[in-house]
Amino acid sequence: MLGHLGRSALLALAIALPAAAEPVTTFTLDNGLNVVVIEDHRAPVVVQMIWYRVGAADEPPGHSGIAHFLEHLMFKGTDTVGPNQFSAIVEAQGGDDNAFTSWDYTAYFQRIAADRLDLVMQMEADRMRNLRLTEEDVATERQVILEERAQRTDSSPGALLTEQMRAAQYLNHPYGIPVIGWRHEVEALDRTAALTYYERFYAPNNATLVIAGDVDPSAVKALAEEHYGPIAPSDGIAPRNRPQEPPQLAERRLSLADERVSEPYVFRTYLAPERNPGDQKEAAALTVLAELLGGSGQTSVLARALQFDSQTAVYSTAFYDGTSIDDATFGLIVVPAPGVGLAEAEAALDRVIADFLATGPDPAALERIRTKVRAADIYSRDDVMRLARRYGEGLSIGLSLDDIDSWDEALSAVTEADIMAAAEKVFDRRNAVTGWLTRPDTDTAAGTPAPEAVPAVPTGQEVTE
């Protein structure tokens, strides 16, 4: 067994060496379908993912939730695959499948034995243009989504606060609209709206096909040309010119009191830059900053200051994900300790941020975090599903293959000066939304009882169950 020094030395060596590049092949079919093939021959397994470059931020006004609604309807069948049989067929072959919707994309995937790729590719290509919907299908699935919203959002005070804060964060951009949709608009979605959206956006010239696993690129190309090649492109695809944010001039503050709350907490988000094609330096710095501030419950800046030194919190975190087309958010959450009010907890949070801006990160901690972040990025390549998602998501938001491949290099190149410049830019209260989650009978200035759980970090995706 390796001793501590042996393991540390090996880890340092792994991080010092360039990440092993996966063999990646790309090509584009005549109808505009982008195809990415990622070879990984360690197991006879393959993942097929089809990423449509359309999501909740691309929905027509008044039709919030239509992207997620159509995601559900895509499992209703075609002339060749019966209603609700798609997943059953995949499962019968020993595989699994699902789908998810975000603001910038909608994706569908199957994970299956490599020798079954032909089958799932044929099925996925079939439903790209041959979806069949009845009025009953639409009515049934609309009710499923309304129940999903009731369970995941309306019955969760934390989810409601997140939804309200996001709506306040984006003054003009459609990122402020929930992926699952506003209830009153989901209730009005119908078959015509779904088919109009489907026929315009679900087309080869608006999609990226990612195949990852035990495959040969030439064989994949032959299958893609056979199954996807005959599909006609859509003439409704246009540049994604969305409304942009005006200058934000004042912090917004929200307080949501709900008798179901068991763990009052302070939640703040700031408008933050996204990963930009050809220039990922700022996003890399923000990724490392989030890890420094709140990535560990024991060693992060927030944890040490709030949970151990002052003992004003039992939980704290920071998060950032710049994988979006337009402005993202940088978030902070603090759950107060017993007897500590939300006002006191927020004041303590502000002091930690001010101190960090004045003193900067500890050099040793920065080196440790930078190594940890890059290591996590490298190790994620051991999973073909995560590989497929890495490329599919990146390409769907406009990043290039070079941007995706060089992300770990951008993370390892982050300096203290980069972090401080990013922090000074992001921590501007004019661009912030601060939310308090509490109970109607709680004196938030005086104190709160001990929390029973910790709030979840928002993911921004709706997954079909």
Side-chain angles (χ1 to χ4, degrees):
M1 179 178 290
L2 289 170
H4 176 72
L5 289 177
R7 288 194 298 269
S8 298
L10 284 179
L11 177 60
L13 177 62
I15 299 305
L17 293 174
E22 305 80 17
V24 177
T25 304
T26 64
F27 55 89
T28 302
L29 300 188
D30 291 342
N31 58 11
L33 179 68
N34 298 321
V35 185
V36 178
V37 183
I38 309 164
E39 296 179 68
D40 186 332
H41 300 288
R42 289 173 293 180
V45 175
V46 66
V47 170
Q48 173 181 234
M49 300 193 82
I50 189 81
W51 295 74
Y52 292 101
R53 293 185 289 275
V54 64
D58 305 298
E59 296 167 336
H63 289 73
S64 66
I66 190 88
H68 176 241
F69 185 38
L70 181 57
E71 177 212 310
H72 278 242
L73 293 173
M74 285 288 284
F75 291 86
K76 291 302 181 181
T78 66
D79 288 339
T80 56
V81 177
N84 302 310
Q85 288 301 301
F86 192 105
S87 296
I89 293 172
V90 174
E91 185 176 350
Q93 300 297 317
D96 64 281
D97 75 313
N98 212 325
F100 49 90
T101 306
S102 188
W103 282 278
D104 295 316
Y105 50 75
T106 308
Y108 302 81
F109 70 86
Q110 302 86 41
R111 180 169 35 202
I112 202 163
D115 61 0
R116 302 294 195 275
L117 177 60
D118 182 35
L119 172 65
V120 295
M121 194 177 285
Q122 178 183 355
M123 292 168 60
E124 193 65 81
D126 179 38
R127 69 174 175 178
M128 178 181 278
R129 274 315 209 190
N130 299 316
L131 184 64
R132 296 292 177 262
L133 296 178
T134 67
E135 292 289 354
E136 182 180 359
D137 289 334
V138 172
T140 300
E141 211 58 41
R142 183 173 56 232
Q143 188 58 39
V144 168
I145 292 171
L146 289 170
E147 291 173 1
E148 180 183 324
R149 181 183 166 89
Q151 292 175 2
R152 296 185 181 181
T153 304
D154 299 333
S155 65
S156 169
L160 287 172
L161 177 66
T162 298
E163 184 177 80
Q164 293 294 304
M165 287 179 61
R166 192 168 183 96
Q169 180 71 81
Y170 292 95
L171 304 176
N172 194 46
H173 196 283
Y175 282 167
I177 299 172
V179 172
I180 199 168
W182 299 114
R183 171 173 286 275
H184 68 286
E185 293 187 347
V186 174
E187 290 173 339
L189 296 177
D190 58 21
R191 180 174 179 272
T192 298
L195 287 176
T196 299
Y197 185 93
Y198 168 74
E199 291 167 0
R200 176 181 176 186
F201 292 113
Y202 277 50
N205 55 324
N206 197 42
T208 299
L209 174 67
V210 181
I211 306 294
D214 188 20
V215 292
D216 175 74
S218 61
V220 171
K221 185 174 184 179
L223 288 175
E225 289 176 337
E226 176 185 355
H227 297 304
Y228 290 98
I231 303 174
S234 167
D235 59 5
I237 307 305
R240 300 164 89 175
N241 296 322
R242 300 162 169 172
Q244 298 297 300
E245 282 298 294
Q248 297 192 355
L249 306 179
E251 177 186 8
R252 281 123 285 160
R253 299 187 64 85
L254 305 174
S255 179
L256 178 63
D258 193 304
E259 61 185 9
R260 298 169 293 181
V261 171
S262 60
E263 55 281 342
Y265 59 83
V266 178
F267 184 12
R268 181 181 298 154
T269 59
Y270 298 84
L271 205 63
E274 74 281 4
R275 283 174 67 180
N276 288 314
D279 182 10
Q280 303 183 97
K281 180 178 179 180
E282 196 168 38
L286 288 169
T287 300
V288 176
L289 174 64
E291 190 69 25
L292 269 170
L293 290 179
S296 167
Q298 289 76 42
T299 62
S300 68
V301 171
L302 290 174
R304 293 179 68 86
L306 300 179
Q307 296 166 224
F308 296 103
D309 294 347
S310 67
Q311 297 186 4
T312 56
V314 293
Y315 174 78
S316 59
T317 192
F319 59 90
Y320 165 78
D321 181 3
T323 314
S324 58
I325 292 176
D326 297 310
D327 284 338
T329 57
F330 189 104
L332 304 164
I333 298 175
V334 176
V335 180
V340 177
L342 295 181
E344 183 179 349
E346 183 180 349
L349 170 64
D350 290 336
R351 285 194 296 271
V352 174
I353 294 174
D355 182 65
F356 181 84
L357 291 174
T359 62
D362 173 67
L366 172 56
E367 186 58 34
R368 181 178 68 251
I369 294 301
R370 190 166 47 195
T371 298
K372 176 183 175 182
V373 170
R374 190 184 177 212
D377 184 71
I378 293 172
Y379 297 152
S380 69
R381 303 180 186 193
D382 285 337
D383 184 325
V384 291
M385 174 63 75
R386 294 179 72 174
L387 271 175
R389 289 192 66 145
R390 176 190 183 99
Y391 284 89
E393 184 177 40
L395 293 170
S396 296
I397 65 164
L399 297 179
S400 68
L401 287 175
D402 184 63
D403 292 325
I404 298 167
D405 291 336
S406 64
W407 178 236
D408 65 296
E409 296 175 11
L411 292 171
S412 64
V414 170
T415 66
E416 179 178 344
D418 295 334
I419 292 171
M420 297 311 295
E424 290 282 356
K425 180 176 180 178
V426 166
F427 291 138
D428 182 342
R429 292 289 283 270
R430 294 171 299 180
N431 297 328
V433 177
T434 302
W436 285 12
L437 184 69
T438 185
R439 287 188 300 277
D441 59 348
T442 297
D443 180 356
T444 56
T448 61
E452 300 168 8
V454 297
V457 172
T459 63
Q461 291 183 353
E462 293 295 339
V463 181
T464 295
E465 298 294 348

